[in-house]
């Protein structure tokens, strides 16, 4: 038995499913999860000391690569002063100022410890601000595991959604309307029917949890217009795409200002940190100023803030995003060329440092289209690449991530491995 297998069997005795987040269990791709022991730059090593080129990057935060020396130094300097205080620090002000500077739609920001906290708090704030209950979300967009967000589309366009998780009461799910991503007609119909009831629309402007799917400009502009017309709060969930697709996030790419924005991943530099922020008049409804309660013992934790602040400073270096986008595009173009040579149906897309791989001829624009992909072929490709020392997301429904440490040699090695993987699929 391999060490990874032994660890997985041991883990399952004390941890449900052997993992602390479901996708890590390899359930959708089969096989044994790799237990990671260390990482550096674009690589990590498993319990058997096998090295992998890492394309999950802790699911997005490691935009500079693992253990970046300047981030490590910032964390080490803070560690000597204490791990947590439960009281304000100047560093919290500094990271808030940096976020507000980089994301113009954010006038004030509240730090939390996870993306789920950010989205659930933003929705509570939107409901408190509008005194309304209904929210709209879109199928395939994942906004964390708060009850009102674990909802799928109902049986008809204008019926309330159905829970996608046991333990979510129908009375909570009924306040969530789920529409098709990038479908302007459905959006208009929902606002025509429920406009005065809608507190908020929450959306990933670049989705990453049904694989990478971009919103169309028409869709996001329609969201902004309908929310303005009906007094609803537009929330961009940029936990994944914020600081990943551009310095100002997806809202910079599209030129659209949401009312509230949820951030995570990159702003913690690999530490547990997230935030939500936006218009000053909305944020004024948060306690201790207003009646919408939100709190967190470890919010603004000094170690997480140190890692996040240094990361935000480093990604502002000239040419950083141009190079990140170039390397990511080189990866997806190389993979697509290898698939064409092997005559395997395949397409790929990228924006900034995020990418998507699809075992289908066309780049998808919705969750329904994503579901038409060949998951069996993806699973075979995943394992062939894993055997070759390349670690992609262990699911056909997750985006991938490139860091600034993924240089030409790393990308070329990945494409070389992919040629063999695609050839094996065509055999």
């Amino acid at each position: 038995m391999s060490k990874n297998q032994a660890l997985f069997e041991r883990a399952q005795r004390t941890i449900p499913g052997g993992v602390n987040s479901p996708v890590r269990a390899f359930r959708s791709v089969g096989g044994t999860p790799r237990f990671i022991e260390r990482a550096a730059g674009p690589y990590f090593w498993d319990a058997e000391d096998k090295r992998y080129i890492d394309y999950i990057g802790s699911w997005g935060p490691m935009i500079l690569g693992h253990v970046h020396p300047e981030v490590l130094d910032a964390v080490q300097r803070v560690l000597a002063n204490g791990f947590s205080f439960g009281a304000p620090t100047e560093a919290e002000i500094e990271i808030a100022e940096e976020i507000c500077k980089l994301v113009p739609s954010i006038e004030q920001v509240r730090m939390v410890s996870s993306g789920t906290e950010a989205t659930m708090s933003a929705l509570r704030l939107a409901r408190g601000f509008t005194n309304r209950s209904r929210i709209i979300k879109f199928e395939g967009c994942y906004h964390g595991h708060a009850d009102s967000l674990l909802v799928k589309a109902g049986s008809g366009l204008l019926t309330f959604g159905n829970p996608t998780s046991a333990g979510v009461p129908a009375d909570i799910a009924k306040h969530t309307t789920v529409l098709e991503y990038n479908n302007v007609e459905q959006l208009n119909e929902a606002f025509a029917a429920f406009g005065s009831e809608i507190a908020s629309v929450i959306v990933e402007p670049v989705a990453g949890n049904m694989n990478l799917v971009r919103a169309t400009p028409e869709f996001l502009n329609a969201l902004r217009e309908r929310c303005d017309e009906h007094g609803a709060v537009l929330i961009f969930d940029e936990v994944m795409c914020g600081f990943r697709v551009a310095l100002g996030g997806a809202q910079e790419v599209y030129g659209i200002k949401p009312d509230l924005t949820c951030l995570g991943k990159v702003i913690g530099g690999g530490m547990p940190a997230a935030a939500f922020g936006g218009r000053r008049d909305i944020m004024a409804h948060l306690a201790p100023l207003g009646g919408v309660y939100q709190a967190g013992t470890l919010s603004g934790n000094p170690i997480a803030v140190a890692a996040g602040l240094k990361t935000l400073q480093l990604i502002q270096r000239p040419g950083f995003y141009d190079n990140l986008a170039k390397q990511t595009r080189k990866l997806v173009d190389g993979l697509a060329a290898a698939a064409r040579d092997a005559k395997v149906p395949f397409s790929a897309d990228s924006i900034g440092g995020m990418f998507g791989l699809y075992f289908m001829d066309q780049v998808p624009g919705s969750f329904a289209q994503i579901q038409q992909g060949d998951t069996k072929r993806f699973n075979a490709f995943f394992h062939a690449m894993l055997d070759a020392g390349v670690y992609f997301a262990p699911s056909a429904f997750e985006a991938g991530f490139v860091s600034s440490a993924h240089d030409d040699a790393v990308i070329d090695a990945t494409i070389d491995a992919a040629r063999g993987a695609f050839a094996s699929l065509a055999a």
Side-chain angles (χ1 to χ4, degrees), residues 246-314:
L247 186 58
Q251 54 199 269
E252 175 188 309
V253 174
Y254 287 97
I256 296 173
K257 291 178 73 170
D259 301 307
L260 293 175
T261 299
C262 300
L263 297 169
K265 309 289 187 183
V266 170
I267 70 164
M271 296 289 185
F276 64 100
R279 284 169 33 193
R280 187 178 299 272
D281 61 321
I282 299 177
M283 297 298 288
H285 285 254
L286 272 179
L289 297 178
V292 177
Y293 193 73
Q294 182 278 326
T297 299
L298 295 178
S299 297
N301 173 269
I303 302 169
V305 166
L309 182 58
K310 179 54 67 174
T311 298
L312 292 182
Q313 292 167 348
L314 291 173

Side-chain angles (χ1 to χ4, degrees), residues 78-94:
V78 170
L79 278 172
N81 296 327
F83 298 169
S84 182
F85 310 123
T89 67
E90 184 178 359
E92 293 174 66
I93 305 171
E94 292 172 350

Side-chain angles (χ1 to χ4, degrees), residues 63 102 241-249 252 266 311-312 314-328 352-353:
I63 194 168
L102 296 175
C241 62
F243 304 115
R244 255 288 164 187
V245 301
L247 186 58
E252 175 188 309
V266 170
T311 298
L312 292 182
L314 291 173
I315 62 178
Q316 294 178 62
R317 289 177 171 172
F320 180 89
Y321 280 94
D322 288 341
N323 185 66
L324 185 68
K326 177 177 72 92
Q327 294 301 97
T328 310

